[in-house]
Amino acid sequence: MAGRYAPSPSGDLHFGNLRTAVLAWLFARSDGKQFHMRIEDIDEQRSSRESAERQLNDLKSLGLDWDGEVLYQSSRYAAYTAALEKLETYECYCSRRDILEASRAPHAAPGMYPGTCRNLSPQERVEKRKELAAQNRHPAVRLRADRTSFAFYDRLRGPCEGAVDDFILLRGGQEPGWAYNLAVVVDDTYQGVDQVVRGDDLLDSAARQAYLATLLGAPVPEYIHVPLVLNTNGQRLAKRDGAVTLPEMLVDATLPEVFARIALSLGYKDINSATQLLEVFEPGKLSTEPFIYY
Ligand code: GLU
């Protein structure tokens, strides 16, 4: 079975992304697993091939290797369609504003879809579809979930349970597109991924994804949500925080020096290559605290 790294190609990877990629590779390789690379380019407006190439080159420069071809999600739409057909779903005509307003209602859980379009009659659906078509918009497609929470296991946090709602599988609007949760689950299954290492900003998605995998008859992977890199204000590191991408860091440091910084952020001193780090890596010792980037 395999681990993976799955970047969205919307710009260069920064220190935090690179550190998560190194961790994903370390966990997979130290467990004797294969390691796959997947480019998550379903958001066609924000993705570019050029970004993907730059990301892959940066990961290679850091000494990460992967098995098999890189999988591009933009080549997988037929598989997403097939998965969608297996699920209980319904069309949703809500705008972002409708959802925001409905979720302000006293009994609605924040951030959860309030179910506005779940029980519309066929006649109401015909009308809503017409209204949207007049605005040149497509309905979204949502999962008809049969529960509101789902349990999963995270190697750093132990047993977890998270909220599940009627989340979107196919995004609507003027440019419909596949939704992240569906694409991730279908592709992790396709690539034989049984270990998902990623930043803990995605911890909230894990219950939905584990539930979706179960509905699709696929095994649920082991999750390892690793702590993020924060800036000195305690916010998630971003490109605006300065010299954080590999090309930027290489302006005044060598590759081994940049690698040493990543290794140091993981608690390992004087390590300047991926192979060296793999020799000493102890998965059980990873800190669960965020790392502050100076
Ligand atoms: N493509 C997502 C990102 O770059 C990661 C998805 C995942 O690891 O499940 O944030």
Side-chain angles (χ1 to χ4, degrees):
M1 296 307 271
R4 47 73 152 181
Y5 185 61
S8 304
S10 56
D12 284 347
L13 299 170
H14 62 56
F15 184 86
N17 306 133
L18 296 169
R19 180 180 188 263
T20 301
V22 168
L23 276 173
W25 180 85
L26 286 169
F27 272 104
R29 294 308 194 201
S30 63
D31 282 352
K33 288 181 194 292
Q34 294 218 316
F35 187 63
H36 296 310
M37 194 57 69
R38 181 168 77 231
I39 296 293
E40 303 214 314
D41 56 351
I42 41 175
D43 185 345
E44 291 179 6
Q45 315 258 331
R46 287 207 213 149
S47 304
S48 79
R49 272 286 160 143
E50 197 218 329
S51 257
E53 296 298 328
R54 289 170 62 93
Q55 294 183 339
L56 295 171
N57 281 333
D58 287 354
L59 297 168
K60 263 186 228 156
S61 308
L62 288 178
L64 306 192
D65 62 345
W66 49 88
D67 301 289
E69 299 278 299
V70 175
L71 186 68
Y72 284 79
Q73 290 194 318
S74 53
S75 71
R76 298 274 302 148
Y77 294 175
Y80 307 150
T81 306
L84 190 69
E85 282 165 5
K86 288 194 204 155
L87 297 164
E88 290 286 327
T89 62
Y90 62 89
E91 282 186 354
C92 169
Y93 315 94
C94 294
S95 64
R96 228 172 264 177
R97 188 147 136 233
D98 294 336
I99 296 171
L100 205 66
E101 275 165 16
S103 65
R104 285 207 190 98
H107 300 293
M112 304 278 278
Y113 182 62
T116 319
C117 294
R118 188 177 167 109
N119 296 317
L120 297 178
S121 68
Q123 184 55 34
E124 285 169 318
R125 290 190 184 279
V126 170
E127 274 158 31
K128 297 261 185 195
R129 225 173 273 147
K130 247 194 249 162
E131 275 169 36
L132 277 195
Q135 302 163 26
N136 201 16
R137 286 171 52 209
H138 297 260
V141 177
R142 289 185 180 274
L143 179 70
R144 189 178 288 279
D146 65 1
R147 64 194 65 210
T148 53
S149 72
F150 200 79
F152 62 94
Y153 182 76
D154 184 281
R155 188 145 136 198
L156 290 184
R157 290 156 192 268
C160 295
E161 182 148 351
V164 163
D165 63 351
D166 289 354
F167 56 91
I168 289 191
L169 302 171
L170 183 67
R171 290 179 288 115
Q174 295 196 329
E175 307 274 350
W178 292 103
Y180 158 68
N181 284 316
L182 179 72
V184 164
V185 170
V186 171
D187 289 341
D188 279 340
T189 307
Y190 174 71
Q191 292 187 288
V193 168
D194 66 348
Q195 181 180 73
V196 169
V197 179
R198 59 187 178 193
D200 64 12
D201 52 334
L202 289 170
L203 185 66
D204 278 350
S205 301
R208 289 183 176 88
Q209 292 174 11
Y211 172 52
L212 191 53
T214 306
L215 289 177
L216 289 168
V220 175
E222 166 192 49
Y223 293 101
I224 307 176
H225 288 93
V226 299
L228 293 181
V229 175
L230 306 180
N231 66 19
T232 45
N233 295 325
Q235 295 151 331
R236 179 155 38 137
L237 190 73
K239 272 164 223 152
R240 61 175 175 278
D241 289 317
V244 291
T245 66
L246 188 57
E248 286 167 347
M249 291 188 283
L250 288 176
V251 169
D252 58 10
T254 63
L255 258 177
E257 286 168 351
V258 170
F259 198 90
R261 275 193 224 164
I262 296 176
L264 194 61
S265 82
L266 297 170
Y268 296 87
K269 270 196 200 134
D270 300 325
I271 298 284
N272 45 35
S273 76
T275 39
Q276 264 183 32
L277 184 52
L278 182 56
E279 275 168 31
V280 295
F281 180 61
E282 290 181 66
K285 288 207 174 150
L286 182 66
S287 164
T288 50
E289 293 301 312
F291 177 74
I292 313 290
Y293 186 85
Y294 291 94

